[in-house]
Amino acid sequence: MVVLVVSMSLITRIILTVKSAPAIDFTISNLTGIFIIGLFYDLVNSAYFILPLMLYIWLMPARLMQKRWQLILLNGIFAFFIFGLLFNIVSEWFFWDEFSSRFNFIAVDYLVYTNEVIGNIRQSYPVEAIVAVLLLATAIMVFLLKPVIKSAAAYSVAFKSRSVWMLGYLIILLASYFLVDNKIKQFSDNTYINELSGNGLYELFAAYRNNELDYAQFYQKIPDQQAFRMIREQIKTPESHFVNNDPFSIERKIINTGAEKRMNVVLISVESLSADFLGVFGNTQSITPNLDSLATHSLLFTKLYATGTRTVRGLEALSVGTPPTPGQSIVRRPKNEGLFSIGRVFKEKGYQSKFIYGGYGYFDNMGYFFENNDYQVVDRNKIAKKDIAYENIWGVADENLFTLATKEIEKTVSSGKPVFAHIMTTSNHRPFTYPGGRIDIPSHTSREGAVKYTDYAIGKFIKEAKTKPWFKNTLFVIVADHCASSAGKADLPVNKYLIPLLIYSPGNIKPAKMERLMSQIDLGPTILGLLNFSYTSKFFGYDIFKLEEGRERAFISTYQSLGYIRRDSLVILKPQRIVNTFIPDFKDGSSKPAKSNSHLTNEAISWYQTASYQFKNKLMK
């Protein structure tokens, strides 16, 4: 079984290496790392993998091992595990194709939301044909292994001797659990090489163990008092002042002059909308004609960076305005109720705040999070079957979502209240399916088609909104939740985190370009600033129009690597208290190591450390 596990892991590594060849430098040191470190992880993974078989052989009396039914059972066990290993090869291929990574945090989440994920896989790939081929391959392999299995079963070992072997095995297993982690493979600056050096099944196990990361335990720290002293200095802006002298508080009063503008706000967070999909950012495929047209009539932000690589990370940034904390998004964490959110600010101003989603709200805990943070949740359950023109496993088609959103907006406006509607799209997601006849790219062919369909749906929504009486008093905000892909040679390729932001409101917002560096967490305070709202804030974000020149910064992250962009530098914080500084190329995403600057490093630490401290100690409520 160990030979099978290691052999199939090697085959997987070779396949993925060939697939990733354009991104790899085939040097002796890189190839040695990929295959020697890889072999080490394959052996560690096999130690876990064989546990059920080891227990079975240890406890089964020797006199029964050569019984016919026993041999049939052993062949069945091998068939089960061989099929699993073959299925894993295919799964890793498709996961790598999507994320350029071994199984990770995302895969753990996928195991939780099996309905959506299995549905997505069945709609995206020819699952039945793949399974049939794997079953045939399994049958052939088991047939070839039958003599070996029979011979092994004939080897009789007394229970006492078996127990000695079992004890030795358990010592190895426990040593692997306590002494080995997935950091050993981090030997290269090229993330593809590091990922290839790992083992997919082991990475899945490691990701499950590290589902949440305590910043104070795993990351570089400075004294909490110093961190909060620094953050209070950095977070203060001309229009704000702190409400108290509590050294661990960031609560401050935001005072904007002039009359408050009680405009409706429609915030559309678009699934996986990288900036480089848009023509205004240089794309030549003409897949966003509506957004490109809107951009010329909008306030267009050209240097906005997403905080993370998942929808929940984007929703976290847009709703509670905090830097990404390591591990799981706050949207998915326990004890995330009653947080200070943009929904609360609008609610206190007399608005009705709504989160409108085309899928089921239970997915990724979105429904619970928004329901418990001053939003009303409106999801797929609110749409009658007859009103759904098209749907896939993730949700209804975006045009059906916008029809629902229009009804919800009008319901609130007709009641005499202004509305804050946060709409979350789903169509730009594998399997990239959508209604036919809308655009010139057939459904289920490419991400570009999904982007163009979402663009079509947004254009249709804005066009129909123009006929409504509430249009003239509405601020339309269109932003991505995150980029389509964050993979690159660098750990955090900055170009992959650039997302578009358009604020559109003819007669209220003059078309212009905002070209200052900006984080996704700054969007909430900036919207509230455009409305001239005065309020008490616990946001970490800035109103970019009130912020003095030169103070801009942005945050980018994976679930473990925390990046801080300041001017031309990128500081990355990692577990095991690792801190590295780079000079990033904002066009191609590459990074060159740079000499560390203690003040810049402490600045980066202060943002992430205080954000984690605030959530852990319930100071975001």
Side-chain angles (χ1 to χ4, degrees), residues 86 163 168 254 266 268 378 413 459 516:
L86 291 172
S163 297
I254 309 294
V266 177
I268 304 170
V378 182
V413 171
R516 296 172 66 185

Side-chain angles (χ1 to χ4, degrees), residues 70-143:
Q70 187 67 251
L71 289 173
I72 293 173
L73 189 58
L74 277 172
N75 286 326
I77 290 172
F78 268 81
F80 176 81
F81 283 115
I82 288 171
F83 178 82
L85 289 167
L86 291 172
F87 191 83
N88 178 71
I89 293 176
V90 176
S91 301
E92 284 213 62
W93 168 272
F94 287 124
F95 193 85
W96 188 279
D97 188 52
E98 181 80 8
F99 300 105
S100 299
S101 168
R102 295 286 194 167
F103 293 142
N104 57 22
F105 208 67
I106 299 171
V108 174
D109 283 356
Y110 279 6
L111 291 176
V112 175
Y113 297 101
T114 52
N115 180 56
E116 281 80 359
V117 174
I118 291 174
N120 178 37
I121 291 169
R122 296 193 64 183
Q123 291 174 1
S124 301
Y125 307 107
V127 175
E128 289 78 9
I130 291 171
V131 169
V133 171
L134 296 184
L135 286 172
L136 178 61
T138 299
I140 293 171
M141 290 181 68
V142 171
F143 177 78

Side-chain angles (χ1 to χ4, degrees), residues 21 24-35 187-188 190 193:
I24 298 171
D25 299 319
F26 287 97
T27 63
I28 296 296
S29 61
N30 284 344
L31 289 174
T32 301
I34 289 173
F35 289 99
F187 73 96
S188 171
N190 187 316
I193 292 172

Side-chain angles (χ1 to χ4, degrees), residues 20 50 79 96 120 160 164 173 175 238 288 299 396 400 402 411 472 521 524 553 572 596 610-611:
S20 306
I50 64 172
W96 188 279
N120 178 37
K160 185 176 180 180
V164 173
L173 192 65
T288 57
L299 180 56
V396 300
N400 296 142
F402 286 122
K411 187 190 301 183
K472 291 182 179 179
I521 73 170
R553 48 78 196 107
I572 299 181
S596 64
T610 57

Side-chain angles (χ1 to χ4, degrees), residues 128-185:
E128 289 78 9
I130 291 171
V131 169
V133 171
L134 296 184
L135 286 172
L136 178 61
T138 299
I140 293 171
M141 290 181 68
V142 171
F143 177 78
L144 294 174
L145 286 171
K146 280 180 70 176
V148 181
I149 296 170
K150 184 176 182 180
S151 175
Y155 184 69
S156 179
V157 180
F159 181 74
K160 185 176 180 180
S161 297
R162 295 203 307 271
S163 297
V164 173
W165 280 98
M166 191 67 186
L167 178 62
Y169 162 72
L170 290 175
I171 290 171
I172 293 172
L173 192 65
L174 289 171
S176 298
Y177 183 84
F178 288 107
L179 300 179
V180 179
D181 61 27
N182 63 346
K183 307 299 186 301
I184 300 170
K185 64 185 176 67

Side-chain angles (χ1 to χ4, degrees), residues 27-59:
T27 63
I28 296 296
S29 61
N30 284 344
L31 289 174
T32 301
I34 289 173
F35 289 99
I36 299 301
I37 295 175
L39 175 61
F40 171 74
Y41 277 114
D42 295 344
L43 289 169
V44 171
N45 175 60
S46 68
Y48 290 105
F49 198 88
I50 64 172
L51 176 59
L53 188 60
M54 288 293 287
L55 289 170
Y56 179 80
I57 295 171
W58 176 48
L59 295 173

Side-chain angles (χ1 to χ4, degrees), residues 540-595:
F540 281 82
Y542 296 134
D543 176 350
I544 195 66
F545 293 104
K546 302 295 192 308
L547 185 68
E548 304 97 324
E549 293 281 348
R551 292 185 57 194
E552 304 89 347
R553 48 78 196 107
F555 308 93
I556 59 177
S557 71
T558 61
Y559 71 98
Q560 284 192 339
S561 297
L562 308 176
Y564 179 69
I565 302 172
R566 187 86 158 87
R567 296 190 179 93
D568 63 347
S569 296
L570 169 65
V571 178
I572 299 181
L573 312 177
K574 290 184 175 183
Q576 296 182 314
R577 308 193 187 284
I578 296 171
V579 182
N580 294 310
T581 304
F582 301 91
I583 302 298
D585 187 314
F586 289 87
K587 291 184 178 179
D588 68 15
S590 61
S591 294
K592 295 180 180 178
K595 185 178 180 181

